[in-house]
Amino acid sequence: MVHEQLSHSRSEFYGSLSRAIEHRKQNPAKSPQELIFVDELIDNQPPDIQLSDAVTFCVGGFHTTGTALLWAIYYLCNNEDVQEKLYRELVENIDGEITPADIANCTQS
């Protein structure tokens, strides 16, 4: 049962990435500001490597983000003064849904 679920999830993940790569090939970026990592794969990797590299980027990004968050939480737990400053700043600057502008107004984050 678990093996079947894992196999299904893997197929869905690979399928989503394959569709994203194909979509991007058919709809290339119109300017340098629109470039994303898939464009780098399409331009610099042979077709048989593109999907495996896309998986590597996604998994690597997942672990990198998780590790960074873990260290941030650890730091905050060990520095209550910084934790309090961050809390106060978030309460003062964010009202409702967080936007990029809200984050830009924060100095502690």
Side-chain angles (χ1 to χ4, degrees):
M1 177 81 171
V2 171
H3 176 71
E4 293 165 359
Q5 290 173 334
L6 182 60
S7 180
H8 175 74
S9 295
R10 180 184 176 274
S11 294
E12 288 290 319
F13 182 60
Y14 275 66
S16 294
L17 288 173
S18 293
R19 287 188 299 277
I21 291 169
E22 286 308 312
H23 176 79
R24 196 56 174 207
K25 285 179 182 177
Q26 295 170 8
N27 302 283
K30 294 180 176 92
S31 70
Q33 291 80 15
E34 293 179 358
L35 292 173
I36 56 175
F37 85 94
V38 172
D39 298 309
E40 185 70 25
L41 293 176
I42 292 168
D43 292 343
N44 297 302
Q45 297 295 337
D48 60 327
I49 302 293
Q50 292 171 2
L51 182 59
S52 62
D53 278 1
V55 170
T56 300
F57 281 124
C58 289
V59 173
F62 168 81
H63 288 292
T64 303
T65 301
T67 300
L69 289 171
L70 178 66
W71 279 107
I73 291 167
Y74 177 81
Y75 178 79
L76 289 169
C77 288
N78 286 296
N79 295 280
E80 290 183 29
D81 58 322
V82 177
Q83 186 182 134
E84 183 60 32
K85 285 180 191 176
L86 177 61
Y87 173 76
R88 278 183 285 162
E89 187 169 5
L90 293 173
V91 169
E92 290 171 9
N93 289 300
I94 298 173
D95 184 30
E97 187 173 328
I98 300 172
T99 66
D102 294 330
I103 301 300
N105 290 332
C106 294
T107 59
Q108 296 296 317
S109 55

